[in-house]
Amino acid sequence: MVCIFSLFQAPVQAILRPAMWIPFPCGKLHSYKERWEFDATPAECLNDLIAAVEKLKEEDATGTTYDIHKIDRCRNFIRIFVFTWAEWLDVVEIDFSTGKAYSFSSGFLPLWLPFAVILNCVLFWIPFYDNKLNQQRLEKLRNVMTKHVTTDLGTIN
């Protein structure tokens, strides 16, 4: 269960993305991009991912909370808020029209702290390492989907 401070601050922090303000080298420490390739239509993959997230909610034993924040069926786009056990906010964005999948940590401090969004904006310059959690998260989503999805790591922008 995510606390009320985290729920209120998450949409603001996801838009501001203070941990991503310095893209290199700091941003590479806590973000991961892939290009997904699939045989099904983008709309079918989007629906499959929605079902996969629901399945992950039931199966995940690490204390991670998955919250589908935005679904745009016209663009075949989904944004998922992922709260870690300590309520750090990671954001997963997948655009099935282009095949781009992106997962990143949004800030240095967890969102259960009051005014964490403001503090994260002040502390945007502090580098931190996600221990490859964002990479593992995209892999976990791919593996839970019933549609076959592969990655092409050579064409990521």
Coordinates of all heavy atoms in Angstrom, one line a residue, residues 38-123:
F38 N 7.6 -6.8 -32.0 CA 6.5 -7.7 -31.7 C 5.8 -8.0 -33.0 O 5.8 -7.2 -34.0 CB 5.6 -7.2 -30.7 CG 5.3 -5.7 -30.8 CD1 4.4 -5.2 -31.6 CD2 6.1 -4.8 -30.0 CE1 4.2 -3.8 -31.7 CE2 5.9 -3.4 -30.1 CZ 4.9 -2.9 -30.9
D39 N 5.2 -9.2 -33.1 CA 4.4 -9.6 -34.2 C 3.0 -9.2 -34.2 O 2.4 -9.1 -35.2 CB 4.5 -11.2 -34.4 CG 5.9 -11.7 -34.6 OD1 6.7 -10.9 -35.2 OD2 6.3 -12.8 -34.2
A40 N 2.4 -9.0 -33.0 CA 1.0 -8.6 -32.9 C 0.9 -7.1 -33.2 O 1.9 -6.3 -33.4 CB 0.6 -8.9 -31.5
T41 N -0.3 -6.6 -33.3 CA -0.6 -5.2 -33.5 C -0.3 -4.4 -32.3 O -0.3 -5.0 -31.2 CB -2.1 -4.9 -33.9 OG1 -2.9 -5.2 -32.8 CG2 -2.5 -5.7 -35.1
P42 N 0.0 -3.1 -32.4 CA 0.3 -2.3 -31.2 C -0.9 -2.3 -30.2 O -0.7 -2.4 -29.0 CB 0.5 -0.9 -31.8 CG 1.1 -1.1 -33.1 CD 0.3 -2.3 -33.6
A43 N -2.1 -2.3 -30.7 CA -3.3 -2.3 -29.8 C -3.4 -3.6 -29.0 O -3.7 -3.6 -27.8 CB -4.5 -2.1 -30.6
E44 N -3.1 -4.7 -29.7 CA -3.1 -6.0 -29.0 C -2.0 -6.1 -27.9 O -2.2 -6.6 -26.8 CB -2.9 -7.2 -30.0 CG -4.0 -7.4 -30.9 CD -3.7 -8.4 -32.0 OE1 -2.5 -8.6 -32.4 OE2 -4.7 -9.0 -32.5
C45 N -0.8 -5.5 -28.3 CA 0.3 -5.5 -27.3 C -0.1 -4.7 -26.1 O 0.2 -5.0 -24.9 CB 1.6 -5.1 -27.9 SG 2.3 -6.3 -29.0
L46 N -0.7 -3.5 -26.3 CA -1.1 -2.6 -25.2 C -2.1 -3.4 -24.3 O -1.9 -3.3 -23.1 CB -1.7 -1.4 -25.8 CG -2.3 -0.4 -24.8 CD1 -1.1 0.2 -23.9 CD2 -3.0 0.8 -25.5
N47 N -3.1 -4.0 -24.9 CA -4.0 -4.7 -24.0 C -3.4 -5.9 -23.3 O -3.7 -6.1 -22.1 CB -5.2 -5.3 -24.9 CG -6.1 -4.2 -25.4 OD1 -6.2 -3.1 -24.8 ND2 -6.7 -4.4 -26.6
D48 N -2.4 -6.5 -23.9 CA -1.7 -7.6 -23.3 C -0.8 -7.1 -22.1 O -0.8 -7.7 -21.0 CB -0.8 -8.3 -24.3 CG -0.1 -9.6 -23.7 OD1 -0.8 -10.3 -22.9 OD2 1.0 -9.8 -24.1
L49 N -0.2 -5.9 -22.3 CA 0.6 -5.3 -21.2 C -0.3 -4.9 -20.0 O 0.1 -5.1 -18.9 CB 1.4 -4.1 -21.7 CG 2.3 -3.5 -20.7 CD1 3.4 -4.5 -20.2 CD2 2.9 -2.2 -21.2
I50 N -1.5 -4.4 -20.3 CA -2.4 -4.0 -19.2 C -2.7 -5.3 -18.4 O -2.7 -5.2 -17.1 CB -3.6 -3.4 -19.8 CG1 -3.3 -2.0 -20.4 CG2 -4.7 -3.2 -18.7 CD1 -4.4 -1.4 -21.2
A51 N -3.0 -6.4 -19.0 CA -3.3 -7.6 -18.3 C -2.0 -8.1 -17.6 O -2.1 -8.6 -16.5 CB -3.8 -8.7 -19.3
A52 N -0.8 -7.9 -18.2 CA 0.4 -8.4 -17.6 C 0.7 -7.6 -16.3 O 1.2 -8.1 -15.3 CB 1.6 -8.2 -18.6
V53 N 0.4 -6.3 -16.3 CA 0.6 -5.5 -15.1 C -0.3 -5.9 -14.0 O 0.1 -6.0 -12.8 CB 0.4 -4.0 -15.4 CG1 0.3 -3.1 -14.1 CG2 1.5 -3.4 -16.3
E54 N -1.5 -6.3 -14.3 CA -2.5 -6.8 -13.3 C -1.9 -8.1 -12.7 O -2.0 -8.4 -11.5 CB -3.9 -7.0 -13.9 CG -4.5 -5.7 -14.3 CD -4.7 -4.7 -13.2 OE1 -5.0 -5.1 -12.0 OE2 -4.4 -3.5 -13.4
K55 N -1.3 -8.9 -13.6 CA -0.8 -10.2 -13.1 C 0.4 -9.9 -12.2 O 0.6 -10.6 -11.2 CB -0.4 -11.0 -14.3 CG 0.1 -12.4 -14.0 CD 0.4 -13.2 -15.3 CE 0.9 -14.6 -14.9 NZ 1.2 -15.4 -16.1
L56 N 1.3 -9.0 -12.6 CA 2.4 -8.6 -11.8 C 2.0 -8.1 -10.4 O 2.7 -8.4 -9.4 CB 3.3 -7.5 -12.5 CG 4.4 -8.0 -13.4 CD1 5.1 -6.8 -14.0 CD2 5.4 -8.9 -12.6
K57 N 0.9 -7.4 -10.4 CA 0.5 -6.9 -9.1 C 0.2 -8.0 -8.1 O 0.5 -7.9 -6.9 CB -0.8 -6.1 -9.2 CG -0.7 -4.7 -9.8 CD -2.0 -4.0 -10.0 CE -1.9 -2.7 -10.6 NZ -3.3 -2.0 -10.8
E58 N -0.3 -9.1 -8.6 CA -0.6 -10.3 -7.8 C 0.6 -11.1 -7.4 O 0.7 -11.6 -6.3 CB -1.6 -11.2 -8.5 CG -3.0 -10.5 -8.8 CD -3.9 -11.3 -9.7 OE1 -3.5 -12.5 -10.0 OE2 -4.9 -10.8 -10.1
E59 N 1.6 -11.2 -8.4 CA 2.7 -12.1 -8.2 C 3.9 -11.5 -7.5 O 4.7 -12.2 -6.9 CB 3.2 -12.6 -9.6 CG 2.2 -13.5 -10.3 CD 2.6 -14.0 -11.6 OE1 3.7 -13.5 -12.1 OE2 1.9 -14.8 -12.2
D60 N 4.1 -10.1 -7.6 CA 5.3 -9.5 -7.1 C 5.4 -9.6 -5.5 O 4.5 -9.2 -4.8 CB 5.3 -8.0 -7.5 CG 6.7 -7.5 -7.3 OD1 7.2 -7.4 -6.1 OD2 7.3 -7.1 -8.3
A61 N 6.4 -10.2 -5.1 CA 6.6 -10.4 -3.6 C 7.7 -9.5 -3.0 O 8.0 -9.6 -1.9 CB 7.0 -11.9 -3.4
T62 N 8.1 -8.5 -3.8 CA 9.2 -7.6 -3.3 C 8.6 -6.3 -2.7 O 9.4 -5.5 -2.2 CB 10.1 -7.2 -4.5 OG1 9.3 -6.4 -5.5 CG2 10.7 -8.3 -5.2
G63 N 7.3 -6.2 -2.6 CA 6.8 -5.0 -2.0 C 6.6 -3.9 -3.0 O 6.2 -2.7 -2.7
T64 N 6.8 -4.2 -4.3 CA 6.7 -3.2 -5.4 C 5.2 -3.0 -5.7 O 4.4 -4.0 -5.8 CB 7.4 -3.6 -6.6 OG1 8.8 -3.8 -6.3 CG2 7.3 -2.6 -7.7
T65 N 4.8 -1.8 -5.9 CA 3.4 -1.5 -6.3 C 3.4 -0.9 -7.7 O 4.1 0.1 -8.0 CB 2.8 -0.4 -5.3 OG1 2.9 -0.9 -4.0 CG2 1.3 -0.1 -5.7
Y66 N 2.6 -1.5 -8.6 CA 2.4 -1.1 -10.0 C 1.1 -0.4 -10.1 O 0.0 -0.9 -9.7 CB 2.4 -2.3 -10.9 CG 3.7 -3.0 -10.9 CD1 4.0 -4.0 -10.0 CD2 4.7 -2.7 -11.9 CE1 5.2 -4.7 -10.0 CE2 5.9 -3.4 -12.0 CZ 6.2 -4.4 -11.0 OH 7.4 -5.0 -11.1
D67 N 1.1 0.8 -10.6 CA -0.1 1.7 -10.8 C -0.1 2.2 -12.3 O 0.8 2.9 -12.7 CB -0.1 2.8 -9.8 CG -1.3 3.7 -10.0 OD1 -2.4 3.2 -10.3 OD2 -1.1 5.0 -10.0
I68 N -1.1 1.7 -13.0 CA -1.2 2.2 -14.4 C -1.7 3.7 -14.3 O -2.9 3.9 -13.9 CB -2.1 1.3 -15.2 CG1 -1.5 -0.1 -15.4 CG2 -2.3 2.0 -16.6 CD1 -2.4 -1.1 -16.1
H69 N -0.9 4.6 -14.7 CA -1.2 6.0 -14.5 C -1.9 6.5 -15.8 O -2.9 7.3 -15.7 CB 0.0 6.8 -14.3 CG -0.2 8.3 -14.2 ND1 -0.9 8.9 -13.2 CD2 0.2 9.3 -15.1 CE1 -1.0 10.2 -13.5 NE2 -0.3 10.5 -14.6
K70 N -1.5 6.1 -17.0 CA -2.1 6.7 -18.2 C -2.1 5.6 -19.3 O -1.1 4.9 -19.5 CB -1.3 7.9 -18.6 CG -1.8 8.5 -19.9 CD -0.9 9.7 -20.3 CE -1.5 10.4 -21.6 NZ -0.6 11.5 -22.0
I71 N -3.2 5.6 -20.0 CA -3.4 4.7 -21.1 C -3.9 5.6 -22.3 O -5.0 6.2 -22.1 CB -4.3 3.5 -20.9 CG1 -3.8 2.6 -19.8 CG2 -4.5 2.7 -22.2 CD1 -4.8 1.6 -19.3
D72 N -3.2 5.7 -23.4 CA -3.6 6.4 -24.5 C -3.8 5.4 -25.7 O -2.8 5.1 -26.3 CB -2.6 7.5 -24.9 CG -3.1 8.4 -26.0 OD1 -4.0 8.0 -26.7 OD2 -2.5 9.5 -26.2
R73 N -5.0 5.0 -25.9 CA -5.3 3.9 -26.9 C -5.1 4.5 -28.3 O -4.8 3.7 -29.2 CB -6.6 3.3 -26.7 CG -6.7 2.5 -25.4 CD -8.0 1.7 -25.3 NE -8.1 1.1 -24.0 CZ -7.5 -0.1 -23.7 NH1 -6.8 -0.7 -24.6 NH2 -7.7 -0.6 -22.5
C74 N -5.3 5.8 -28.5 CA -5.1 6.3 -29.9 C -3.6 6.3 -30.3 O -3.3 6.0 -31.4 CB -5.5 7.8 -29.9 SG -7.3 7.9 -29.7
R75 N -2.7 6.5 -29.3 CA -1.3 6.5 -29.6 C -0.6 5.2 -29.2 O 0.6 5.0 -29.4 CB -0.6 7.6 -28.8 CG -0.9 9.0 -29.3 CD -0.1 10.1 -28.5 NE 1.1 9.7 -28.0 CZ 1.6 10.0 -26.8 NH1 0.9 10.8 -26.0 NH2 2.8 9.6 -26.4
N76 N -1.4 4.2 -28.6 CA -0.9 2.9 -28.1 C 0.3 3.2 -27.1 O 1.3 2.6 -27.2 CB -0.4 2.1 -29.3 CG -1.6 1.7 -30.2 OD1 -2.6 1.1 -29.7 ND2 -1.5 1.9 -31.4
F77 N 0.0 4.0 -26.2 CA 1.0 4.4 -25.2 C 0.5 4.1 -23.8 O -0.7 4.2 -23.5 CB 1.2 6.0 -25.3 CG 2.1 6.5 -24.2 CD1 3.5 6.5 -24.3 CD2 1.5 7.1 -23.1 CE1 4.3 7.0 -23.3 CE2 2.3 7.7 -22.1 CZ 3.7 7.6 -22.2
I78 N 1.4 3.7 -22.9 CA 1.1 3.5 -21.5 C 2.2 4.0 -20.6 O 3.3 4.0 -20.9 CB 0.8 2.0 -21.2 CG1 0.3 1.7 -19.8 CG2 2.1 1.2 -21.5 CD1 -0.2 0.3 -19.6
R79 N 1.7 4.6 -19.5 CA 2.7 5.1 -18.4 C 2.3 4.4 -17.1 O 1.1 4.4 -16.7 CB 2.6 6.6 -18.2 CG 3.5 7.1 -17.1 CD 3.5 8.6 -17.0 NE 3.9 9.2 -18.2 CZ 3.3 10.2 -18.8 NH1 2.2 10.7 -18.2 NH2 3.7 10.8 -19.9
I80 N 3.3 3.7 -16.5 CA 3.1 3.0 -15.3 C 3.9 3.6 -14.2 O 5.1 3.8 -14.4 CB 3.5 1.5 -15.5 CG1 2.7 0.9 -16.7 CG2 3.2 0.7 -14.2 CD1 3.3 -0.4 -17.2
F81 N 3.3 3.9 -13.1 CA 4.0 4.3 -11.9 C 4.4 3.0 -11.1 O 3.5 2.2 -10.8 CB 3.2 5.2 -11.0 CG 3.0 6.6 -11.5 CD1 2.1 7.5 -10.9 CD2 3.6 7.1 -12.7 CE1 1.9 8.7 -11.4 CE2 3.4 8.3 -13.2 CZ 2.6 9.2 -12.5
V82 N 5.7 2.9 -10.8 CA 6.2 1.8 -10.0 C 6.8 2.3 -8.7 O 7.8 3.0 -8.8 CB 7.2 1.0 -10.8 CG1 7.6 -0.3 -10.0 CG2 6.6 0.6 -12.2
F83 N 6.1 2.0 -7.6 CA 6.6 2.4 -6.3 C 7.4 1.2 -5.7 O 6.8 0.1 -5.6 CB 5.4 2.8 -5.4 CG 4.7 4.0 -5.8 CD1 3.5 3.8 -6.6 CD2 5.1 5.2 -5.4 CE1 2.8 4.9 -7.0 CE2 4.4 6.4 -5.8 CZ 3.2 6.2 -6.6
T84 N 8.6 1.5 -5.4 CA 9.4 0.4 -4.8 C 8.9 0.2 -3.3 O 8.1 1.0 -2.8 CB 10.9 0.8 -4.8 OG1 11.1 1.9 -3.9 CG2 11.4 1.1 -6.2
W85 N 9.5 -0.7 -2.6 CA 9.1 -1.0 -1.2 C 9.3 0.2 -0.4 O 8.6 0.4 0.6 CB 9.8 -2.2 -0.7 CG 11.3 -2.0 -0.6 CD1 12.2 -2.3 -1.6 CD2 12.0 -1.4 0.5 NE1 13.5 -1.9 -1.2 CE2 13.4 -1.4 0.1 CE3 11.7 -0.9 1.7 CZ2 14.4 -0.9 0.9 CZ3 12.7 -0.4 2.5 CH2 14.0 -0.4 2.1
A86 N 10.3 1.1 -0.7 CA 10.6 2.3 0.1 C 9.9 3.5 -0.5 O 10.0 4.6 0.0 CB 12.1 2.5 0.2
E87 N 9.0 3.3 -1.5 CA 8.2 4.3 -2.2 C 9.0 5.3 -3.0 O 8.7 6.5 -3.1 CB 7.3 5.0 -1.2 CG 6.3 3.9 -0.6 CD 5.1 4.5 0.1 OE1 4.7 5.7 -0.1 OE2 4.6 3.8 1.0
W88 N 10.2 4.8 -3.5 CA 10.8 5.6 -4.6 C 9.9 5.4 -5.8 O 9.3 4.3 -6.0 CB 12.2 5.1 -4.9 CG 13.3 5.6 -4.0 CD1 13.8 6.9 -4.0 CD2 14.0 4.9 -3.0 NE1 14.7 7.0 -3.0 CE2 14.9 5.8 -2.4 CE3 13.9 3.6 -2.6 CZ2 15.7 5.4 -1.4 CZ3 14.8 3.2 -1.6 CH2 15.7 4.1 -1.0
L89 N 9.8 6.4 -6.6 CA 9.0 6.4 -7.8 C 9.8 6.1 -9.0 O 10.7 6.9 -9.4 CB 8.2 7.6 -8.0 CG 7.3 7.7 -9.3 CD1 6.2 6.6 -9.3 CD2 6.8 9.1 -9.5
D90 N 9.6 5.0 -9.7 CA 10.1 4.7 -11.0 C 9.0 4.8 -12.0 O 7.8 4.5 -11.7 CB 10.8 3.3 -11.1 CG 12.0 3.2 -10.1 OD1 12.5 4.2 -9.8 OD2 12.4 2.1 -9.8
V91 N 9.3 5.2 -13.2 CA 8.2 5.4 -14.2 C 8.6 4.6 -15.4 O 9.8 4.6 -15.9 CB 8.1 6.9 -14.6 CG1 7.1 7.1 -15.7 CG2 7.8 7.8 -13.4
V92 N 7.6 3.8 -15.9 CA 7.8 3.0 -17.1 C 6.9 3.6 -18.2 O 5.7 3.8 -18.0 CB 7.4 1.5 -16.9 CG1 7.5 0.8 -18.2 CG2 8.3 0.9 -15.8
E93 N 7.4 3.9 -19.4 CA 6.7 4.5 -20.5 C 6.9 3.6 -21.7 O 8.1 3.4 -22.1 CB 7.0 5.9 -20.8 CG 6.7 6.9 -19.7 CD 7.1 8.3 -19.9 OE1 8.0 8.5 -20.7 OE2 6.5 9.2 -19.3
I94 N 5.9 3.1 -22.3 CA 6.0 2.2 -23.5 C 5.1 2.7 -24.5 O 3.9 2.9 -24.3 CB 5.7 0.8 -23.1 CG1 6.6 0.3 -22.0 CG2 5.8 -0.1 -24.3 CD1 6.2 -1.0 -21.4
D95 N 5.7 3.0 -25.7 CA 4.9 3.4 -26.9 C 4.9 2.3 -27.9 O 6.0 2.1 -28.5 CB 5.6 4.7 -27.4 CG 4.8 5.3 -28.6 OD1 4.0 4.6 -29.2 OD2 5.0 6.5 -28.9
F96 N 3.8 1.6 -28.0 CA 3.8 0.5 -28.9 C 3.8 0.9 -30.4 O 4.0 0.1 -31.3 CB 2.6 -0.4 -28.6 CG 2.8 -1.2 -27.3 CD1 2.2 -0.9 -26.2 CD2 3.6 -2.4 -27.3 CE1 2.4 -1.6 -25.0 CE2 3.8 -3.1 -26.2 CZ 3.2 -2.7 -25.0
S97 N 3.4 2.1 -30.7 CA 3.4 2.6 -32.1 C 4.9 2.7 -32.6 O 5.1 2.4 -33.8 CB 2.8 4.0 -32.2 OG 1.4 3.9 -31.8
T98 N 5.8 3.1 -31.7 CA 7.2 3.2 -32.1 C 8.1 2.1 -31.6 O 9.2 1.9 -32.1 CB 7.8 4.5 -31.6 OG1 7.8 4.5 -30.2 CG2 7.1 5.7 -32.2
G99 N 7.5 1.3 -30.6 CA 8.3 0.2 -30.0 C 9.3 0.7 -29.0 O 10.1 -0.1 -28.5
K100 N 9.2 1.9 -28.6 CA 10.1 2.4 -27.5 C 9.6 2.1 -26.1 O 8.5 2.4 -25.8 CB 10.4 3.9 -27.7 CG 11.1 4.3 -28.9 CD 11.4 5.8 -29.0 CE 12.1 6.1 -30.3 NZ 12.4 7.6 -30.4
A101 N 10.5 1.5 -25.3 CA 10.2 1.3 -23.9 C 11.3 1.9 -23.1 O 12.5 1.8 -23.4 CB 10.2 -0.3 -23.7
Y102 N 10.8 2.7 -22.1 CA 11.7 3.5 -21.3 C 11.3 3.4 -19.8 O 10.1 3.5 -19.5 CB 11.6 4.9 -21.7 CG 12.5 5.9 -21.1 CD1 13.8 5.6 -20.8 CD2 12.1 7.2 -20.9 CE1 14.7 6.6 -20.3 CE2 12.9 8.2 -20.3 CZ 14.2 7.8 -20.0 OH 15.1 8.8 -19.5
S103 N 12.3 3.1 -19.0 CA 12.1 3.0 -17.5 C 13.1 3.8 -16.8 O 14.3 3.7 -17.2 CB 12.1 1.5 -17.1 OG 11.9 1.4 -15.7
F104 N 12.7 4.7 -15.9 CA 13.6 5.5 -15.2 C 13.2 5.8 -13.8 O 12.0 5.8 -13.4 CB 13.8 6.8 -15.9 CG 12.6 7.7 -16.1 CD1 12.2 8.6 -15.1 CD2 11.7 7.5 -17.1 CE1 11.1 9.4 -15.2 CE2 10.5 8.2 -17.2 CZ 10.2 9.2 -16.3
S105 N 14.2 6.1 -12.9 CA 14.0 6.5 -11.6 C 13.7 8.0 -11.6 O 14.5 8.7 -12.3 CB 15.2 6.2 -10.7 OG 15.4 4.8 -10.7
S106 N 12.7 8.5 -10.9 CA 12.3 9.9 -11.0 C 13.0 10.9 -10.1 O 13.0 12.1 -10.3 CB 10.8 10.0 -10.9 OG 10.4 9.7 -9.6
G107 N 13.5 10.4 -9.0 CA 14.1 11.3 -8.0 C 15.0 10.6 -7.0 O 14.9 9.3 -6.8
F108 N 15.8 11.3 -6.3 CA 16.7 10.8 -5.3 C 16.1 10.3 -4.0 O 16.5 9.3 -3.4 CB 17.8 11.9 -5.0 CG 18.8 11.5 -4.0 CD1 19.8 10.5 -4.3 CD2 18.9 12.1 -2.8 CE1 20.7 10.1 -3.4 CE2 19.8 11.7 -1.8 CZ 20.8 10.8 -2.2
L109 N 15.0 11.1 -3.6 CA 14.4 10.7 -2.3 C 13.0 10.0 -2.6 O 12.4 10.3 -3.5 CB 14.1 12.0 -1.5 CG 15.4 12.8 -1.1 CD1 14.9 14.1 -0.5 CD2 16.2 12.0 -0.1
P110 N 12.6 9.1 -1.6 CA 11.3 8.5 -1.8 C 10.2 9.5 -1.5 O 10.4 10.5 -0.8 CB 11.4 7.4 -0.7 CG 12.4 7.9 0.3 CD 13.4 8.7 -0.5
L111 N 9.1 9.2 -2.1 CA 7.9 10.1 -2.1 C 7.1 10.1 -0.8 O 6.3 10.9 -0.6 CB 7.0 9.9 -3.3 CG 7.6 10.3 -4.6 CD1 6.6 10.1 -5.7 CD2 8.1 11.7 -4.6
W112 N 7.4 9.2 0.1 CA 6.7 9.2 1.4 C 7.1 10.4 2.2 O 6.4 10.8 3.2 CB 6.8 7.9 2.2 CG 8.2 7.6 2.6 CD1 9.1 6.8 1.9 CD2 9.0 8.1 3.7 NE1 10.3 6.7 2.5 CE2 10.3 7.5 3.6 CE3 8.7 9.0 4.7 CZ2 11.2 7.8 4.6 CZ3 9.7 9.2 5.7 CH2 10.9 8.6 5.6
L113 N 8.2 11.1 1.9 CA 8.6 12.3 2.6 C 7.8 13.5 2.2 O 7.6 13.7 1.0 CB 10.1 12.6 2.3 CG 11.2 11.7 2.8 CD1 12.5 12.0 2.2 CD2 11.3 11.8 4.3
P114 N 7.3 14.2 3.1 CA 6.5 15.4 2.7 C 7.5 16.4 1.9 O 8.6 16.5 2.3 CB 6.1 16.1 4.1 CG 6.1 14.9 5.0 CD 7.2 14.0 4.6
F115 N 7.0 17.0 0.9 CA 7.7 17.9 0.0 C 8.9 17.2 -0.7 O 9.8 17.9 -1.1 CB 8.2 19.1 0.8 CG 7.1 19.8 1.6 CD1 7.0 19.7 2.9 CD2 6.1 20.5 0.9 CE1 6.0 20.3 3.6 CE2 5.1 21.1 1.6 CZ 5.0 21.0 3.0
A116 N 8.8 15.9 -0.9 CA 9.9 15.2 -1.6 C 10.1 15.7 -3.0 O 11.2 15.7 -3.5 CB 9.6 13.7 -1.6
V117 N 9.0 16.1 -3.7 CA 9.2 16.6 -5.0 C 10.1 17.8 -5.0 O 10.9 18.0 -5.9 CB 7.8 16.9 -5.7 CG1 7.9 17.6 -7.0 CG2 7.0 15.6 -5.8
I118 N 9.8 18.7 -4.1 CA 10.6 20.0 -4.0 C 12.1 19.6 -3.7 O 13.0 20.1 -4.3 CB 10.0 20.9 -3.0 CG1 8.6 21.4 -3.5 CG2 10.9 22.1 -2.8 CD1 7.8 22.1 -2.4
L119 N 12.3 18.7 -2.7 CA 13.6 18.3 -2.3 C 14.3 17.6 -3.5 O 15.5 17.8 -3.7 CB 13.6 17.4 -1.1 CG 13.1 18.1 0.2 CD1 12.8 17.1 1.3 CD2 14.1 19.2 0.6
N120 N 13.6 16.8 -4.2 CA 14.2 16.1 -5.4 C 14.6 17.1 -6.4 O 15.6 16.9 -7.1 CB 13.3 15.0 -5.9 CG 13.4 13.8 -5.1 OD1 14.4 13.4 -4.6 ND2 12.2 13.1 -5.0
C121 N 13.9 18.2 -6.6 CA 14.3 19.2 -7.6 C 15.5 19.9 -7.1 O 16.4 20.3 -8.0 CB 13.1 20.2 -7.8 SG 11.7 19.5 -8.7
V122 N 15.7 20.1 -5.8 CA 16.9 20.8 -5.3 C 18.1 19.8 -5.4 O 19.2 20.3 -5.7 CB 16.7 21.2 -3.9 CG1 18.0 21.7 -3.2 CG2 15.6 22.3 -3.8
L123 N 17.8 18.5 -5.2 CA 18.9 17.5 -5.2 C 19.1 16.8 -6.5 O 19.7 15.7 -6.6 CB 18.6 16.5 -4.1 CG 18.5 17.1 -2.7 CD1 18.1 16.0 -1.7 CD2 19.8 17.7 -2.3

